[in-house]
Amino acid sequence: LTTVNSVTMPNGGFLSNRNLIQNGSFIVHQRGGTSTAQGFVLDRWYAGHSGGTTTISQGTETSGTVYEKGLVNYYRITNTANSTAGDTYRYARQAIEAQNLLKSGWNYKNASAKITLSFYVRSSVAQNFYGYLRLSDSPDSKYVFETGSLSADTWTKVTKVIPGYASANIDNDNGSGMEVLIAPFWGTNFTDSGVALNTWAAWNGNERAPDYATTWAGTNGATFDITGVQLEVGSVATDFEHLNFQQTLALCQRYYYKLFPTQGAYFGAGTWYNSTTFILHVDFPVFMRTNVTSVETTGTAAHYRIITNATTVTCTSAPSALGDPNTTSLAVNFPASGAGTQGQGGLGRSGNSLAFLAFSAEL
């Protein structure tokens, strides 16, 4: 390792783009707001939760330990209605494309070849928590680790040095090669007192972690925060690699792209296919991970309009995807009732501040 201006850097391998985790500082949040639903919320991070209710949000620090390291944002899980039932769980997970992991420089079949996971974690309840790395390609394998006992409301840096696994296989494709998961709770349906820590083992969905203390999960309003998540080749956790917002956004847009103009702004130009179908052509800013086959909308027809021949037309239903899905663009149908002339041009626009078009190729 080399230290430059008090910053620790690796001597070999990748000096930049060394973090295999994307949006590990949680600065990109295209979907915006908070969510109580299971699914993707902050970019690249899947929120898994069942039992009781949970709110996922993007938090902001204004001072203190992580703020001083440039980690202004964090991922927060709030236990809005507690449950400690056996089928209850809460977790944050990111899947890494297999081809990115394969070409990272990690000699993954060699136990002497290490990758290092590091992150900051804070809980409103003092407790030990668990997480795991899961190699997704056959054989399905796990590496379970613990955070160690956390002091309440205190940021703690966790570092785990992980060896290669001789039995592992990583495919050269755009599927999931590895999942990185950190969980404030798994119920007893998913845990076992005999689960071994800090070693590779066969995946078993009923043995994702040792048995959890129920303190956090049994506390209404309990919070669990993470930031500065970094996975890098080598046996030392270097300082978190900060990419600027635009760089991070471009990485995230491979998996999710959202057009979110203000009220009255334009989504783009298009053409009337016939009198009831206005086709808006949307070019993606980067290659999506896989073919995009659908479009997400607010679901409200009145939020979408067409400007054509100096006339504003309100859509009769929310826009939807047309055929020929691919990774670079998508044709979007703005439906209208007998308002257009075949071949005539126009502009798709928003009719409400909530209107958006979004395209997903999530992993």
Side-chain angles (χ1 to χ4, degrees):
L1 296 176
T2 299
T3 301
V4 180
N5 294 330
S6 300
V7 176
T8 302
M9 302 288 290
N11 279 332
F14 298 109
L15 300 182
S16 62
N17 297 306
R18 63 186 182 275
N19 191 358
L20 291 166
I21 293 291
Q22 296 163 340
N23 199 30
S25 56
F26 303 101
I27 59 177
V28 176
H29 185 22
Q30 292 185 80
R31 294 169 178 85
T34 63
S35 177
T36 59
Q38 182 167 254
F40 289 94
V41 186
L42 277 72
D43 279 66
R44 297 292 291 114
W45 290 91
Y46 184 88
H49 46 87
S50 177
T53 59
T54 304
T55 300
I56 307 301
S57 59
Q58 179 192 51
T60 302
E61 289 287 87
T62 57
S63 63
T65 301
V66 296
Y67 177 84
E68 292 168 0
K69 297 181 181 299
L71 297 167
V72 175
N73 296 113
Y74 58 87
Y75 182 108
R76 167 161 285 188
I77 303 173
T78 303
N79 206 27
T80 48
N82 71 296
S83 174
T84 59
D87 59 354
T88 299
Y89 55 83
R90 284 96 169 82
Y91 65 76
R93 182 196 74 204
Q94 182 170 141
I96 301 169
E97 277 189 58
Q99 60 188 348
N100 293 344
L101 188 63
L102 180 66
K103 300 168 186 176
S104 66
W106 178 38
N107 185 10
Y108 66 92
K109 285 183 175 290
N110 184 349
S112 298
K114 306 295 196 299
I115 52 171
T116 299
L117 174 69
S118 57
F119 59 93
Y120 288 89
V121 59
R122 176 177 64 183
S123 168
S124 62
V125 175
Q127 187 186 309
N128 185 26
F129 300 92
Y130 300 98
Y132 60 72
L133 275 61
R134 179 180 180 182
L135 285 169
S136 309
D137 294 321
S138 181
D140 201 347
S141 311
K142 65 182 178 183
Y143 185 97
V144 182
F145 61 84
E146 62 183 347
T147 63
S149 184
L150 303 181
S151 299
D153 299 312
T154 303
W155 284 109
T156 300
K157 186 173 184 179
V158 175
T159 299
K160 300 296 174 181
V161 179
I162 300 149
Y165 182 42
S167 298
N169 288 291
I170 300 173
D171 295 338
N172 186 17
D173 61 21
N174 63 357
S176 175
M178 176 183 284
E179 295 177 0
V180 177
L181 183 146
I182 304 166
F185 188 67
W186 286 111
T188 53
N189 290 8
F190 309 99
T191 67
D192 187 274
S193 59
V195 170
L197 298 177
N198 305 319
T199 187
W200 287 105
W203 172 257
N204 184 332
N206 298 322
E207 298 179 0
R208 303 177 188 224
D211 294 331
Y212 264 73
T214 57
T215 317
W216 186 92
T219 302
N220 281 337
T223 58
F224 185 84
D225 306 327
I226 56 173
T227 192
V229 187
Q230 182 153 289
L231 181 68
E232 57 193 306
V233 176
S235 58
V236 176
T238 63
D239 293 336
F240 184 81
E241 182 183 15
H242 290 278
L243 303 182
N244 64 39
F245 180 85
Q246 186 57 49
Q247 290 172 307
T248 307
L249 176 62
L251 291 172
C252 294
Q253 285 175 331
R254 176 169 169 79
Y255 307 89
Y256 185 79
Y257 172 51
K258 187 174 185 179
L259 274 170
F260 197 2
T262 57
Q263 183 171 356
Y266 298 102
F267 290 111
T271 305
W272 288 96
Y273 179 75
N274 55 38
S275 63
T276 60
T277 302
F278 178 81
I279 300 177
L280 180 75
H281 183 82
V282 177
D283 287 311
F284 306 139
V286 300
F287 282 93
M288 304 291 278
R289 183 187 66 86
T290 189
N291 288 344
V292 176
T293 59
S294 63
V295 56
E296 297 176 17
T297 67
T298 62
T300 303
H303 289 180
Y304 301 91
R305 297 174 182 173
I306 306 160
I307 304 295
T308 184
N309 196 25
T311 302
T312 300
V313 179
T314 299
C315 289
T316 55
S317 60
S320 60
L322 293 173
D324 300 323
N326 63 81
T327 61
T328 60
S329 63
L330 192 69
V332 179
N333 175 23
F334 275 52
S337 180
T341 301
Q342 187 177 40
Q344 188 177 50
L347 295 168
R349 66 177 293 181
S350 64
N352 185 282
S353 60
L354 299 177
F356 68 88
L357 300 175
F359 309 89
S360 179
E362 292 285 9
L363 185 60

